[in-house]
Amino acid sequence: MKQTIPLIIVFTFGFFVIIAFFIPLRVFQDASQTFETWYTGVIAFFVFIGIFNIIKVNVNKIQRKLSDWQYSIILLFFLAFMMGAGFIGGPEGGVFDYLFEHMQIPLGATMFSLLAFFVASAAFRAFRARTPEATLLLIAAVIVMIGRVPIGYYIWKGFPNLVEWIMSVPNTAAKRGILFGADLGLISMALRVLLGIERSYMGGGRE
Amino acid sequence: MKFFDRLEKIDRRIIFFLVGLAVIIPLIIPLGLPVDITGPVQDVFDRVEELPEGSIVVVSCDYDPGSEAELSPATAAFLEHCFRKNLRVYMMGLWPAGPELGNLALESIAPTYGKVYGVDYINIGYRPGGPVMLVSLGRDFTDLVRADYAGVPIDSFPLGRAVKSARDIDLVMTLSAGDPGVLHWIIYFSARYGTEIATATTAIMAPQQYPYLSSGQLIGLLGGLKGAAEYETLVDKKARAVAGMDSQSIVHLLLVVFIVIGNIILLYQKRRK
Amino acid sequence: MSTEIGVWIAALLTLAIYSFLYKDNPFYKVAENIFVGVSAGYWAVILWFNYAWPNLFEPLIMRGSVIYLIPIIVGLMMFAPLIPRVSWLIRIPLTFTMGVAMALVILQRIQGEIFPQLQATFLPLSGVSPMQLISNLLIIFGVLSTLVYFYFSKAHRGVLGVFAKLGIWFMMVAFGASFGYTVMARISLLIGRVYFLLHNWLQLI
C-alpha cells in the first residue's frame, strides 16, 4: 500500500493531464485546471516545510551547542522578527518593507557580488590556453568580454556585430544541440517517473 | 625569472584590490563611453513602440536581490517605456522577492506619468508553482489571481479583471534570473497560448536565449546590465545601468590583462620544462 | 553622506559582507545569518499573503468551499515524516506533484522546444546572401555535430570522430561566450553595490 498508492497517483494524474491536452472538451480542461491549481497549493507547503526545516536545524544547533551556535540565535531572531513584522503589520509598508529594502536587498545583492572578485582571481590563475580547445574557448571569451561592453565599440565599431554573430551562429548551434540532448533525456526521465520505473524521488526505505 | 614565479603566487587580495579600484575610479571619474545598441534590445523597444495605447503588458519580475543590480535597471527602463506609451502594466513574479523589487520601480516611476494603481497598473505579487502554474494561469487568470501583492481582493480594482486568460495579454516581459523564468514562459505559456515573450535576463543566462531568439520564440532580449544600459539609452533615461558601463568596460579590460599575464606565465613555465 | 538610518544599515551590512574578502570573520557571519533569517521570514509572509490565504484558506474558511481541503491536506502530508508511523504519507504530495509536473514536461518540451527548435534549424540554403549561407550552414553543422558528440552508442572514429571533434569546437566557442557573459554578470553585481555605496551612502556621485 505504501508503494502502490503513490504509484497509482503518479500514473493517474500524469496520464490524465497528458490525455486531457489532446481532448478539447470542457470537462477535461476543467479537471486539468483543478489538478494544476491543487498542485500550486501543494507546492506552497513545500516552501513552508523548507522554512520549518531551517528553524528545526538551527534550534537543534543551539540546543546541542554545536560550533558557531551563537549565530543561529541571530538567524532565528531575524526570522521571527521578519515574520512578526509581516504578519502583524502586513506585507505592505511598515517594518516588513523597511527590513526588506534595507536588509534583505543589500545583503542578497552583496553576497552574490562577492563572486566578481573570485571570477577575477580565477581568470588570472586558471584561464590558460593549455590545449587547442582551451585556446578556442579563451579566444571566444575574450572577444565577448571586450566586444560586449562600450570599450569594445570604442576600440572597433565592428566588435558588437562580431559578438552578435558568435552568439547567434556558433553559440546558438551548440546550445541548440545540447538543448535537444537535454530535452530527450528529460522526456525519457519523465516517462520513467509516470510509469513508476524511476522511484528515487519518493525517498529511501524498503516499502 | 623569479619575477614570473612570484607573479604566479601573488596574494589574491592584490587582485581583489585592483578589481575594486577598476570599479570605483570610473564611477567617480566617468569616461562617458558611448553605449551601442544591439539588435535584440532594439527589437524589444520596437515591439513596445508598435503596441497600441491601453495594451496589457505582463511584467514578470522573476528575480531576487541577488540579481537586483542587473535586473532592476532593466525593470525601471522598461516600465518607463510602458508608461510613456500609455500601456497598462500587470506586474507579477515567479520568485517571491521579484514583485516587491519591481514594486520599488513602479512606485517611483508610475506617479511621474500620473498613473493610478489598479487602473493603469497593478501588482499581483508572487505566484508559486512555476511552470505548472503558468499553464494554469494562461488558461484562467481568474481562478489563480484572487488578491494583489498586498492581499487586497483583485475584484476591487478595474484592471484586476481585465486579464481573464492569456488571450487578453499583448506582451509578456520576463525579467529573469533563473528557474522558474524565461524558459518556462516560453515553453509553458507562449507555446500553449501564443503570447509574445520579451525578456531581460542576467548576463549569465543571456547566451542560452539565442536559440529562442533565432526560432522567433523570443521577440527580443536585454542581456545583463549592458542590455539595461542600451534600453536606458533608447528611452533616453540614462540612469544606473549607463552609469555602470564605464566600470564594466575597465574591469573587463583588466581581466583580459590578467588572462594575458596568466598565459605568459604558462608559456614561461612550458619553456623552462 | 546620507543621513538616513536605513541607508546606513544597508551600507554597514554591505561592508560586513565584503570583509570576507580579507578573511572569514564574525562580521561576515553575522550578516550571513541575518540574510538567511530575513529571507526565510520574507518567504513565509509573502507566500501567506500572496497565495496561501487568498487561494487556499480564504475560500475554505470564509466561503466554505470544502474542495480546498484537498490541496491543504495533501500539502500537510509533507510534514508526515515528523510522525514515523505515517511517514510514508509524504509520498502522496511528492507523487501527485511529480505526476502533474512530469506530464507537462513531456507535453511542453515537445510542443514548446523540440518542434520549434527543429523548425528553426531547417534553414534556407538558397536565395540567401553568401554570408547568410555560411551562417546557416554553420548552424546546421553545429547542431548536428554537437548531437553527434553526445551520441555514445558508437565509437567516435572515422567520419563520426571528425563530426564529434567539430562538435567540441562549437561547444568550446559557446562555453567561451558563456564565460564572457558570466564575467560580465558578476562584475555588474559588484558595480551595483559600489554604486550604492558611492551614490546612496557617501553621496560622492
Side-chain angles (χ1 to χ4, degrees):
Chain A
M1 185 179 81
K2 294 173 184 177
Q3 188 80 262
T4 317
I5 291 175
L7 289 178
I8 291 171
I9 290 173
V10 76
F11 183 87
T12 313
F13 284 98
F15 280 100
F16 181 86
V17 170
I18 292 178
I19 292 164
F21 177 78
F22 297 101
I23 305 172
L25 286 175
R26 184 70 193 259
V27 61
F28 279 88
Q29 296 310 309
D30 285 350
S32 255
Q33 181 74 15
T34 305
F35 297 153
E36 285 154 19
T37 310
W38 288 355
Y39 170 96
T40 318
V42 175
I43 285 290
F45 284 88
F46 283 34
V47 178
F48 286 132
I49 193 123
I51 295 160
F52 175 79
N53 278 331
I54 290 177
I55 297 170
K56 201 175 131 189
V57 166
N58 283 283
V59 167
N60 186 37
K61 204 168 163 183
I62 296 165
Q63 278 173 343
R64 293 185 180 196
K65 298 256 191 299
L66 298 175
S67 73
D68 287 346
W69 63 274
Q70 296 91 338
Y71 297 109
S72 291
I73 297 173
I74 295 171
L75 188 154
L76 290 175
F77 171 78
F78 276 94
L79 193 151
F81 194 56
M82 194 72 172
M83 280 172 74
F87 285 121
I88 296 164
E92 247 340 275
V95 183
F96 182 76
D97 247 6
Y98 192 85
L99 292 174
F100 176 73
E101 207 177 324
H102 299 292
M103 292 186 108
Q104 197 178 337
I105 295 179
L107 282 167
T110 314
M111 200 72 84
F112 287 91
S113 76
L114 274 180
L115 294 167
F117 295 100
F118 298 107
V119 149
S121 179
F124 179 68
R125 292 180 205 283
F127 212 37
R128 300 193 174 170
R130 292 180 202 277
T131 61
E133 287 84 3
T135 312
L136 198 58
L137 191 146
L138 197 143
I139 293 168
V142 168
I143 292 173
V144 170
M145 275 167 67
I146 295 295
R148 243 320 160 240
V149 286
I151 197 117
Y153 180 67
Y154 185 75
I155 295 168
W156 175 46
K157 297 270 182 291
F159 244 137
N161 289 337
L162 174 63
V163 173
E164 206 53 38
W165 184 83
I166 290 175
M167 299 313 293
S168 43
V169 179
N171 169 68
T172 295
K175 292 270 156 63
R176 192 173 280 159
I178 295 170
L179 194 142
F180 282 136
D183 276 348
L184 294 175
L186 207 57
I187 291 166
S188 59
M189 174 59 91
L191 271 174
R192 284 170 60 88
V193 168
L194 295 191
L195 294 171
I197 302 165
E198 173 61 50
R199 299 173 188 186
S200 57
Y201 70 95
M202 282 166 55
R206 272 172 294 159
E207 285 182 296
Chain B
M1 282 292 174
K2 273 185 182 167
F3 173 70
F4 285 124
D5 293 325
R6 279 169 67 182
L7 205 58
E8 167 90 271
K9 292 185 184 97
I10 190 173
D11 189 334
R12 66 180 184 176
R13 281 173 289 200
I14 294 171
I15 294 174
F16 294 170
F17 179 71
L18 291 174
V19 170
L21 278 186
V23 171
I24 292 168
I25 293 172
L27 278 173
I28 295 173
I29 312 162
L31 303 169
L33 292 166
V35 177
D36 58 295
I37 310 295
T38 55
V41 176
Q42 185 71 50
D43 290 341
V44 177
F45 180 84
D46 291 346
R47 186 70 194 102
V48 174
E49 282 289 302
E50 285 161 13
L51 287 173
E53 275 193 14
S55 298
I56 292 179
V57 179
V58 167
V59 177
S60 188
C61 297
D62 309 327
Y63 62 98
D64 67 1
S67 316
E68 186 270 342
E70 281 187 282
L71 294 174
S72 284
T75 310
F78 186 76
L79 286 175
E80 191 84 36
H81 197 193
C82 287
F83 288 136
R84 194 177 292 169
K85 290 287 300 173
N86 291 319
L87 307 177
R88 289 182 290 171
V89 172
Y90 212 89
M91 185 173 275
M92 58 175 281
L94 305 181
W95 290 34
E100 197 66 31
L101 287 164
N103 218 42
L104 295 173
L106 270 180
E107 281 173 354
S108 69
I109 299 165
T112 61
Y113 289 92
K115 300 296 177 188
V116 180
Y117 185 78
V119 178
D120 303 302
Y121 69 99
I122 198 165
N123 187 346
I124 61 165
Y126 168 52
R127 299 285 115 197
V132 177
M133 185 278 299
L134 285 176
V135 170
S136 175
L137 191 72
R139 197 187 291 120
D140 188 359
F141 261 65
T142 52
D143 188 38
L144 269 180
V145 183
R146 302 206 175 145
D148 77 344
Y149 74 112
V152 181
I154 202 82
D155 294 316
S156 52
F157 304 106
L159 184 57
R161 284 287 170 243
V163 179
K164 291 185 174 61
S165 72
R167 268 177 303 200
D168 301 315
I169 300 167
D170 297 287
L171 178 69
V172 171
M173 173 59 158
T174 159
L175 298 117
S176 181
D179 287 347
V182 57
L183 175 71
H184 302 102
W185 276 106
I186 294 169
I187 68 176
Y188 288 87
F189 198 85
S190 175
R192 262 209 185 194
Y193 307 112
T195 316
E196 284 187 336
I197 311 283
T199 189
T201 65
T202 55
I204 291 180
M205 289 174 66
Q208 293 152 34
Q209 310 314 319
Y210 277 80
Y212 305 107
L213 280 173
S214 102
S215 65
Q217 290 173 281
L218 270 178
I219 62 149
L221 160 75
L222 278 65
L225 192 66
K226 169 67 177 7
E230 290 176 46
Y231 215 84
E232 281 182 359
T233 309
L234 283 170
V235 297
D236 199 19
K237 189 89 184 177
K238 291 179 182 170
R240 250 170 84 183
V242 169
M245 277 304 104
D246 288 343
S247 297
Q248 190 92 46
S249 293
I250 299 304
V251 181
H252 281 214
L253 266 187
L254 180 71
L255 291 196
V256 171
V257 172
F258 284 164
I259 292 169
V260 171
I261 295 173
N263 281 282
I264 291 172
I265 294 172
L266 175 75
L267 269 179
Y268 157 73
Q269 286 169 339
K270 270 187 179 172
R271 196 170 290 175
R272 199 170 57 172
K273 275 179 190 169
Chain C
M1 196 175 265
S2 173
T3 50
E4 274 182 61
I5 297 172
V7 173
W8 271 86
I9 294 172
L12 293 176
L13 289 173
T14 301
L15 294 176
I17 299 278
Y18 282 144
S19 68
F20 181 78
L21 291 171
Y22 184 69
K23 64 177 188 181
D24 200 0
N25 65 75
F27 293 111
Y28 172 76
K29 281 185 180 149
V30 167
E32 190 186 30
N33 282 278
I34 292 175
F35 177 56
V36 178
V38 290
S39 300
Y42 178 84
W43 272 45
V45 172
I46 287 296
L47 194 65
W48 177 259
F49 281 101
N50 280 195
Y51 187 80
W53 173 252
N55 286 56
L56 290 175
F57 292 98
E58 195 266 350
L60 175 72
I61 297 165
M62 311 299 274
R63 286 186 271 135
S65 305
V66 285
I67 191 89
Y68 289 92
L69 272 174
I70 297 173
I72 292 172
I73 291 170
V74 175
L76 284 172
M77 287 177 185
M78 283 300 294
F79 292 90
L82 295 174
I83 310 161
R85 215 159 53 86
V86 291
S87 66
W88 70 275
L89 283 175
I90 193 176
R91 289 176 180 171
I92 290 175
L94 287 179
T95 48
F96 168 70
T97 49
M98 280 299 260
V100 176
M102 289 300 119
L104 287 173
V105 161
I106 295 169
L107 293 170
Q108 295 314 122
R109 290 276 163 178
I110 295 172
Q111 186 195 20
E113 201 151 71
I114 294 182
F115 284 170
Q117 290 299 321
L118 263 180
Q119 207 175 4
T121 312
F122 292 121
L123 292 161
L125 298 178
S126 65
V128 291
S129 66
M131 187 60 200
Q132 191 60 50
L133 176 68
I134 293 167
S135 295
N136 289 356
L137 277 171
L138 279 171
I139 290 181
I140 294 166
F141 277 102
V143 173
L144 287 175
S145 57
T146 306
L147 279 172
V148 165
Y149 175 76
F150 288 107
Y151 180 72
F152 298 118
S153 302
K154 216 166 171 235
H156 288 174
R157 288 196 209 101
V159 181
L160 207 65
V162 173
F163 254 82
K165 191 82 181 163
L166 195 65
I168 293 174
W169 290 348
F170 271 97
M171 280 191 282
M172 285 301 134
V173 174
F175 294 155
S178 290
F179 180 84
Y181 267 94
T182 303
V183 167
M184 188 167 147
R186 298 308 178 208
I187 303 301
S188 299
L189 299 184
L190 176 61
I191 291 169
R193 291 325 292 158
V194 174
Y195 184 84
F196 165 79
L197 291 173
L198 297 177
H199 179 75
N200 301 57
W201 183 45
L202 299 174
Q203 297 182 344
L204 288 175
I205 55 171

